[in-house]
Amino acid sequence: MTDLAPQTRSRVLSALRRQHVETASWAYGNSGTRFKVFPQEGVPRNPYEKIADAATVHRFTGVAPTVALHIPWDRVDDYADLARSAADAGIGLGAINANVFQDNDYKLGSVTNPDPGVRRKAIDHLLECVDIMDRTGSRDLKLWFSDGTNYPGQDDVRTRQDRLAEALRETYDRLGENQRMLLEYKLFEPAFYVTDVPDWGTAYLHCAALGQRARVVIDTGHHAPGTNIEFIVAVLLRAGKLGGFDFNSRFYADDDLMVGSADPFQLFRIMHEIVLAGALGEEAGIAFMLDQCHNIEPKIPAVIRSVLNVQEATAKALLVDHDALRAAQHAGDVLGANAVLMDAYNTDVRPLLRELREDMGIDPDPMAAYARSGYFERVRSERAGGQAAGWGA
Ligand code: LRH
Ligand code: MN
């Protein structure tokens, strides 16, 4: 991209070099829908092999240095040893995801369940996840609750909110000073009438009540169709309550498809709000995580493609001429302002990203480099026996 001003080029390249996308351990395992899980060859059989795959994504992209874990899917005897194996592979362990959505006891809810014994069990799992963070060195405890009801009258909305607040308070107070709680919301599913944390407003209310180290996670697949997600990004950034993203994309509901595959323009608009607010760097504390399921496509290439999609959207957002944009906005120049954004969006940033990768000493075409690497063929034969990892649902 020869027409970029030298200082723009170095500003954009240095920001992209420091980009940090966190991949998801469960994306490397078998996954599917309620209709079918199509098993794939070479799928990891344990958290150590998931970490090896995550390290491979980082090796070929250079910007995916951590992997999020999900408990109990990634339960091991020695989490410090797991962290060491990750470090040996060149990556770190990221957010710890609790799971209070798969136990028979949680049919009527976990932390919001009418039965105090079930609530205690759920809270104990959240506290166990903080113990695990102490050993993995993870900063973030990520909480998503499938809790909700299916029929009007099934349970009392405000009482369930009280139970939720009580559980979050006990867990928040257990956090260490460098640890955070990230609360994820979701409009519906598996509950189909009330979901106890259905939207950013409810998540925000709970996080605001808890304290500084409680922030909201935006899963891009968890909104009603037509929701302007970048508006939520801007408002939570303004309030200092955006903790991170579960990136994926969807055509209909929580489809968990590759981020940027269904709506690359939406991903660009989201990253534009991030860049505009100066929130791309580590110091802003926004966790850019992937939360996807690769039901029919090969998993590691799908994760690599997803990281590249985030890079491309970020590069385009970094090319927005903020001064020209602000001038047009202040002048009420509607089309002019829109054109500034569309110019950046319509810029082919792939040559710049190839240049970035060469500068970083990695192959400019990660997808092709991975395909040539023979990594898949090697793990396919190594992982022939044993039980492939999955959601265990
Ligand atoms: C719920 C969710 C949540 C996870 C799970 C894997 O839909 O987005 O983030 O824990 O997917
Ligand atoms: Mn999610």
Side-chain angles (χ1 to χ4, degrees):
M1 288 179 63
T2 51
D3 58 350
L4 266 188
Q7 76 273 20
T8 302
R9 172 189 298 280
S10 60
R11 171 180 58 78
V12 171
L13 287 174
S14 71
L16 290 170
R17 191 188 302 278
R18 287 179 284 113
Q19 183 148 40
H20 178 165
V21 177
E22 180 160 302
T23 69
S25 67
W26 53 99
Y28 302 107
N30 281 327
S31 60
T33 70
R34 58 183 163 175
F35 300 105
K36 174 66 176 164
V37 169
F38 295 98
Q40 294 186 22
E41 292 180 312
V43 159
R45 299 162 299 180
N46 56 59
Y48 288 86
E49 293 179 346
K50 294 176 190 176
I51 285 170
D53 291 358
T56 300
V57 169
H58 183 49
R59 183 152 53 87
F60 286 99
T61 64
V63 293
T66 56
V67 59
L69 301 182
H70 219 297
I71 310 297
W73 301 338
D74 298 316
R75 179 165 281 143
V76 293
D77 301 337
D78 184 341
Y79 287 99
D81 180 64
L82 190 69
R84 272 192 302 279
S85 79
D88 295 348
I91 61 172
L93 299 182
I96 300 296
N97 286 261
N99 181 333
V100 286
F101 54 86
Q102 284 188 314
D103 188 296
N104 293 342
D105 289 342
Y106 299 147
K107 183 170 73 176
L108 300 180
S110 64
V111 296
T112 64
N113 195 293
D115 177 335
V118 174
R119 299 201 294 271
R120 184 69 256 158
K121 175 179 177 175
I123 295 170
D124 288 346
H125 172 69
L126 305 185
L127 298 175
E128 178 209 358
C129 287
V130 183
D131 298 343
I132 292 170
M133 290 163 68
D134 292 344
R135 299 205 290 282
T136 60
S138 298
R139 173 192 64 183
D140 294 338
L141 171 68
K142 185 150 94 48
L143 302 180
W144 170 68
F145 298 101
S146 60
D147 293 44
T149 59
N150 278 0
Y151 298 98
Q154 175 185 332
D155 200 352
D156 182 73
V157 172
R158 284 176 293 130
T159 304
R160 292 174 72 91
Q161 291 296 312
D162 294 343
R163 295 166 186 157
L164 172 63
E166 196 181 309
L168 293 174
R169 168 53 63 195
E170 181 176 348
T171 308
Y172 183 87
D173 292 349
R174 163 67 185 81
L175 293 174
E177 62 186 16
N178 300 321
Q179 296 173 332
R180 307 187 309 173
M181 176 186 285
L182 302 183
L183 181 58
E184 182 178 355
Y185 59 88
K186 182 175 181 179
L187 184 63
F188 79 102
E189 189 205 40
F192 295 107
Y193 171 55
V194 161
T195 291
D196 295 298
V197 187
D199 54 29
W200 71 272
T202 308
Y204 174 83
L205 283 174
H206 283 287
C207 289
L210 289 163
Q212 263 310 310
R213 288 179 289 108
R215 296 198 186 183
V216 178
V217 162
I218 298 178
D219 184 309
T220 46
H222 287 187
H223 305 83
T227 299
N228 185 324
I229 297 177
E230 61 272 21
F231 172 83
I232 300 171
V233 172
V235 167
L236 288 174
L237 279 170
R238 183 172 171 276
K241 275 298 182 196
L242 179 63
F245 294 92
D246 266 6
F247 275 144
N248 51 63
S249 68
R250 50 80 167 280
F251 290 103
Y252 303 103
D254 191 16
D255 307 353
D256 282 340
L257 300 172
M258 292 188 295
V259 62
S261 61
D263 189 345
F265 185 41
Q266 179 188 63
L267 181 59
F268 161 75
R269 300 193 312 267
I270 289 171
M271 295 313 292
H272 167 61
E273 291 300 334
I274 290 288
V275 171
L276 205 51
L280 185 62
E282 297 276 3
E283 65 287 348
I286 309 296
F288 299 97
M289 303 170 283
L290 300 181
D291 178 8
Q292 305 174 157
C293 297
H294 306 296
N295 302 341
I296 59 173
E297 70 269 29
K299 299 173 187 296
I300 294 172
V303 178
I304 292 174
R305 179 68 261 170
S306 302
V307 172
L308 303 186
N309 288 353
V310 174
Q311 271 191 312
E312 288 176 18
T314 306
K316 291 173 184 248
L318 287 163
L319 289 176
V320 174
D321 182 336
H322 292 166
D323 297 342
L325 181 65
R326 210 171 285 109
Q329 290 170 341
H330 291 173
D333 177 0
V334 175
L335 295 179
N338 177 251
V340 170
L341 221 63
M342 296 316 290
D343 284 351
Y345 180 65
N346 293 322
T347 302
D348 182 357
V349 293
R350 293 172 293 183
L352 185 70
L353 288 169
R354 277 197 286 274
E355 187 189 323
L356 169 77
R357 296 181 190 116
E358 279 159 356
D359 290 358
M360 293 171 80
I362 61 176
D363 191 291
D365 184 344
M367 293 292 280
Y370 171 75
R372 282 196 310 275
S373 71
Y375 179 84
F376 174 68
E377 291 73 15
R378 177 165 61 78
V379 295
R380 179 175 53 189
S381 54
E382 283 173 5
R383 298 172 183 177
Q387 174 60 45
W391 281 38

